[in-house]
Amino acid sequence: MNTWVVVALWVIAIGGVLVGLYFWGKKLQDRYAEQQQMINEHKQAVQIFVIDKKKDKMDNLKLPKIVKDQIPKRQRNRKIPVIIAKVGPQIQTLMCDENVYNTIPVKKNVKVEVAGVLVVNILSGKLAQAEKVGFRQRMLNRANNLREKSAK
C-alpha cells in the first residue's frame, strides 16, 4: 500500500475519534448543567454539628437505599467523602464534594447548604485553606535550605 493511503487512514481514524469525543463531552456537559440546576433549586441552608468525616465505599455507608441505587455502578467501588453530622435531633450521613470535605471542621457547628443528602456549600465556620505551593517555589525553598546548611 502507498504510504499516503496509510497516513490518510490514520488521520481519518483519529479525526473520527476526536469528533466522537467532542459530542460525548457536550452530552456530559449538558447532563452536568442539568444536575447543577436541580441542585440549585433544591438546596437549603441548615445548621449541623459535624461529628466525623471520612472517605469510605458505598457499601459501608449508612445512606438511604434510594440514594445507593441512583449511584452508577462504576462509582460504587470508589471511596466517597462523607460527613457524619447531627442535623436537628437526627444523626445523618451526608455526601459532599472534595473541596467541601477539605474545608469542613470536625466537632464544630457549621452552617451549610444541603440538597438532599449532598452538602453543596459551607456558609459559615469553614477552615482556612492553605495556599498551594507550586513546583518552582518548592525548588527555591529547597535551594535556600541547602544554601543555609552549607553556610553553617
Side-chain angles (χ1 to χ4, degrees):
M1 256 210 266
N2 193 352
T3 308
W4 293 109
V5 173
V6 173
V7 170
L9 288 175
W10 276 103
V11 168
I12 291 171
I14 290 172
V17 168
L18 290 176
V19 168
L21 286 174
Y22 171 77
F23 286 111
W24 186 51
K26 290 275 285 182
K27 180 181 172 184
L28 290 176
Q29 195 173 24
D30 292 342
R31 190 182 306 163
Y32 177 76
E34 182 181 308
Q35 290 172 351
Q36 278 303 118
Q37 180 184 5
M38 187 178 295
I39 286 173
N40 289 338
E41 288 174 3
H42 292 89
K43 69 182 176 184
Q44 55 187 346
V46 177
Q47 183 80 20
I48 64 172
F49 179 75
V50 180
I51 297 170
D52 190 21
K53 63 181 189 177
K54 62 183 176 179
K55 292 183 181 180
D56 209 352
K57 292 187 178 182
M58 286 295 299
D59 299 335
N60 303 334
L61 299 176
K62 296 178 184 174
L63 291 172
K65 186 172 179 3
I66 297 170
V67 174
K68 286 184 179 182
D69 291 342
Q70 289 179 353
I71 294 192
K73 288 184 180 180
R74 64 181 172 270
Q75 290 185 345
R76 288 184 188 166
N77 293 331
R78 284 187 171 174
K79 289 189 175 183
I80 298 173
V82 293
I83 299 168
I84 300 170
K86 185 174 182 185
V87 182
Q90 295 179 334
I91 294 178
Q92 292 182 342
T93 302
L94 303 170
M95 298 186 327
C96 63
D97 194 15
E98 191 70 34
N99 59 359
V100 172
Y101 179 79
N102 292 332
T103 58
I104 197 158
V106 180
K107 306 287 185 199
K108 292 201 177 180
N109 281 325
V110 181
K111 190 168 187 176
V112 296
E113 286 183 335
V114 178
V117 294
L118 179 69
V119 177
V120 179
N121 190 13
I122 303 173
L123 298 176
S124 66
K126 64 180 160 182
L127 294 173
Q129 284 188 344
E131 279 192 34
K132 213 173 186 184
V133 179
F135 178 75
R136 183 173 186 271
Q137 189 62 40
R138 278 186 291 174
M139 291 299 125
L140 288 173
N141 291 343
R142 286 182 186 170
N144 290 336
N145 289 341
L146 290 174
R147 281 189 204 130
E148 289 173 8
K149 286 181 183 177
S150 65
K152 290 181 182 179

